[in-house]
Amino acid sequence: MSLSYEVSLPDGTKFSQPAGLFINNEYVKSKSGKTLDSINPGTGEVNGHVYAAQEEDVDIAVAAAREAFNKGWKKSSGVDRANLLFAFAKELKDNRDLLGSIEAWDSGKTKIKMQSTISMSGKVIQHDPLKLAYTVHEPFGVCGQIIPWNYPLAMAAWKLAPALAAGNTVVLKSSEITPLSILYLAQFFKKVGFPPGVVNFISGYGAVAGKALAEHLDVDKIAFTGSTATGRVIQKLATSNLKAVTLECGGKSPLIVRKDADLEQAVKWAAVGIMSNQGQICTSTSRIYVQQEVYDEFVTKFAKHVEEEYKQGHVFESDAVVGPQVSQQQYDKILSYIDIGKKEGARLVLGGEKNTDPKLKDGYFIKPTIFADVKPTHRIVNEEIFGPVVSVGKFVDDDEAIKYANQTEYGLGAAIFTKDITVAHTMASDVQAGMVWINSSNDSDVHIPFGGVKMSGIGRELGEYGLNMYTQAKAIHVNLGSML
Ligand code: NAD
């Protein structure tokens, strides 16, 4: 198999898709020649094949990253690194339509956006006139990064920018389900002048390439985004050399609607919060709790809004809002949860089945689904479904709303709709989540930390908090006096 293949997309886009591993600024074949299939979720057809990294390829990529770190990247100036990153950001911007099309084709996404940033400083600490201490922030060295399939480019950008800005070198493994946009992106690092080995990309399966990276003895830090189940595995693998670990894992984020809320706004945000990206967002507000006085009105308006505004279609159709699920596996999993919801006795208000429209029936299309009257014990309320399926339940007072909101093992996001400013802040404090949205859902900004508590993860991404996850403070003590 060759290192690239020609592609022509339904929207007329033509390009050459790289298929190799990207190591030392070159696309290369995996040593074993093993490959993985890239499937089009809109049709179930194979888009193409890319080389899949095995353990030996991971060793080669890590050695390249180590050499680049020792040879100069660790001593490079922040200004030089920033200039390279800004040049790279410009390439991203210039190619955003093409990258967006590749990602749409590979993952079933109907829309896409991207962003990036830098800044870092140590402290001088002087408590004693004869002693001076200061801290410097040093990079870890070689960082392994493992990302999921739901936002390949964004997840890669959130991880690469702070790691590189802080002076680390990187080996990033994409998801076996969506390798294409990441491989295309790789060439821009060479183009704008990043030294060989500073950024390396490998496609490959989690249990092989991901495992090899997470337990590698010459990797200093592992940053992971994906499911909680895999996050637990990564944390164990990382004990091999006590590497630093950050985990961005799953969620089951609540959205609370009090009786004093602006109901029209709550309805719109609730729909954005679960139906965007086909419900495949870690922070999806997939559990909605509505105060009893406005419960019936909310459910009726919410179902009407979703039915009217969230049309299904192929990714390159202009009016398509909800695309296909990413893979057969996800499709089967979501349908099985819909079945569980029906059997558990939740009231099906909308959807609840695959889309059998002749145009869509071969792809992984599931109708936007709303279950109402859910009980706290229902599995669809407690387990992450990761699809366009939302459960709506009723609460009596604020204490009950917080009790429900905090009942799952997750703690990623939470949304609160109310006009009472005091209650809004009290609830924001009481809810167990890494991010709280007051009168919105899923707001995100590259300057504002992103991450979860409980089993949704460890550490933060984005902004200064995210940058700090890629450095270690070194304390330097200076003796200004003489020995007693
Ligand atoms: P996943 O856990 O199946 O896979 C994520 C990545 O881990 C992939 O690259 C995969 O190849 C790799 N992997 C799998 N098994 C591995 C192993 N044994 N060792 C090392 N690596 C391994 O998750 P997914 O299905 O790709 O993504 C969906 C999940 O990601 C959802 O649970 C979602 O909530 C979560 N997610 C979280 C965030 C966040 O920021 N918190 C963001 C996006 C997605």
Side-chain angles (χ1 to χ4, degrees):
M1 194 185 85
S2 77
L3 283 167
S4 66
Y5 54 94
E6 298 309 309
V7 176
S8 181
L9 296 183
D11 66 349
T13 310
K14 289 189 169 47
F15 61 97
S16 182
Q17 173 62 50
L21 311 172
F22 187 80
I23 300 175
N24 260 328
N25 275 359
E26 301 298 336
Y27 290 104
V28 295
K29 297 181 178 180
S30 57
K31 288 285 170 201
S32 62
K34 286 193 177 160
T35 60
L36 58 85
D37 294 344
S38 152
I39 313 275
N40 181 340
T43 61
E45 290 163 352
V46 176
N47 275 338
H49 310 276
V50 301
Y51 282 98
Q54 309 297 304
E55 270 178 35
E56 55 193 339
D57 304 300
V58 174
D59 286 344
I60 293 168
V62 171
R66 176 62 62 195
E67 196 185 341
F69 183 72
N70 289 340
K71 245 168 87 181
W73 190 250
K74 71 176 171 187
K75 297 277 185 194
S76 61
S77 76
V79 173
D80 288 346
R81 296 197 300 269
N83 285 338
L84 284 169
L85 281 167
F86 284 126
F88 176 76
K90 183 174 178 309
E91 284 297 322
L92 269 189
K93 205 169 158 204
D94 292 349
N95 288 279
R96 62 184 294 153
D97 287 346
L98 174 56
L99 286 165
S101 291
I102 299 175
E103 193 146 300
W105 176 55
D106 200 20
S107 70
K109 207 175 293 313
T110 51
K111 283 170 197 157
I112 183 161
K113 62 175 183 180
M114 295 174 279
Q115 297 155 319
S116 88
T117 193
I118 320 174
S119 122
M120 221 166 48
S121 56
K123 287 183 183 150
V124 174
I125 306 162
Q126 194 169 21
H127 287 305
D128 179 331
L130 296 181
K131 304 271 183 191
L132 169 71
Y134 62 91
T135 56
V136 287
H137 290 190
E138 294 193 333
F140 280 93
V142 176
C143 294
Q145 303 184 326
I146 299 179
I147 60 168
W149 46 259
N150 65 336
Y151 283 98
L153 288 169
M155 294 298 101
W158 288 16
K159 287 193 170 24
L160 288 167
L164 296 171
N168 299 281
T169 56
V170 172
V171 177
L172 182 146
K173 190 194 90 61
S174 58
S175 166
E176 56 271 39
I177 299 171
T178 53
L180 303 187
S181 53
I182 296 298
L183 287 179
Y184 198 91
L185 179 84
Q187 60 194 296
F188 301 137
F189 284 96
K190 180 175 185 179
K191 185 174 174 193
V192 304
F194 274 84
V198 170
V199 191
N200 306 278
F201 292 104
I202 53 176
S203 317
Y205 291 100
V208 181
K211 175 174 180 287
L213 194 58
E215 68 184 356
H216 204 288
L217 295 178
D218 204 25
V219 170
D220 303 298
K221 170 182 170 139
I222 190 88
F224 166 80
T225 299
S227 63
T228 294
T230 310
R232 297 173 79 155
V233 174
I234 300 277
Q235 197 168 19
K236 280 192 195 140
L237 291 170
T239 59
S240 61
N241 62 341
L242 284 190
K243 56 175 70 65
V245 180
T246 46
L247 303 173
E248 297 283 357
C249 296
K252 190 77 185 176
S253 302
L255 182 147
I256 298 169
V257 184
R258 292 180 87 237
K259 64 183 176 198
D260 68 341
D262 178 334
L263 223 53
E264 307 300 321
Q265 281 291 303
V267 160
K268 286 183 186 162
W269 282 107
V272 168
I274 180 64
M275 298 305 166
S276 305
N277 205 33
Q278 297 72 253
Q280 303 167 142
I281 303 183
C282 51
T283 47
S284 284
T285 32
S286 50
R287 295 182 287 148
I288 300 177
Y289 296 108
V290 187
Q291 201 154 15
Q292 58 184 359
E293 290 83 348
V294 293
Y295 180 81
D296 291 336
E297 186 184 354
F298 176 89
V299 172
T300 307
K301 287 186 166 160
F302 180 50
K304 184 168 182 288
H305 177 72
V306 172
E307 190 168 21
E308 287 172 3
E309 301 294 327
Y310 288 78
K311 301 276 178 234
Q312 283 202 291
H314 284 289
V315 292
F316 296 112
E317 287 171 3
S318 58
D319 61 344
V321 181
V322 183
Q325 306 308 133
V326 76
S327 65
Q328 178 81 51
Q329 197 189 353
Q330 284 299 119
Y331 176 78
D332 292 343
K333 178 183 157 194
I334 296 161
L335 287 175
S336 85
Y337 268 110
I338 288 176
D339 212 37
I340 290 168
K342 289 175 184 168
K343 287 192 180 127
E344 282 178 324
R347 176 164 62 96
L348 184 64
V349 178
L350 191 72
E353 58 186 1
K354 60 187 175 189
N355 197 324
T356 50
D357 180 323
K359 253 182 13 175
L360 306 179
K361 66 175 183 23
D362 294 332
Y364 311 134
F365 291 89
I366 296 177
K367 290 186 182 169
T369 297
I370 301 173
F371 282 109
D373 305 350
V374 297
K375 297 206 174 75
T377 50
H378 285 169
R379 281 183 63 192
I380 57 165
V381 172
N382 293 292
E383 297 172 25
E384 187 184 46
I385 300 174
F386 221 57
V389 180
V390 65
S391 63
V392 190
K394 196 184 287 184
F395 70 89
V396 175
D397 57 20
D398 293 344
D399 286 345
E400 191 173 49
I402 290 294
K403 187 176 93 185
Y404 290 157
N406 291 343
Q407 76 169 36
T408 73
E409 65 185 22
Y410 297 110
L412 200 48
I416 300 160
F417 283 82
T418 176
K419 287 189 185 136
D420 186 324
I421 189 169
T422 307
V423 173
H425 291 288
T426 309
M427 275 194 163
S429 157
D430 290 344
V431 72
Q432 295 166 343
M435 293 159 286
V436 180
W437 304 285
I438 295 174
N439 294 326
S440 75
S441 175
N442 277 271
D443 263 339
S444 170
D445 182 300
V446 289
H447 306 94
I448 299 173
F450 185 103
V453 300
K454 293 161 74 179
M455 291 190 71
S456 288
I458 305 169
R460 294 293 176 266
E461 292 195 308
L462 300 181
E464 202 180 333
Y465 290 91
L467 190 60
N468 287 338
M469 299 284 153
Y470 282 95
T471 64
Q472 304 187 91
K474 177 187 270 178
I476 300 175
H477 296 257
V478 185
N479 184 9
L480 302 175
S482 48
M483 190 84 173
L484 284 177

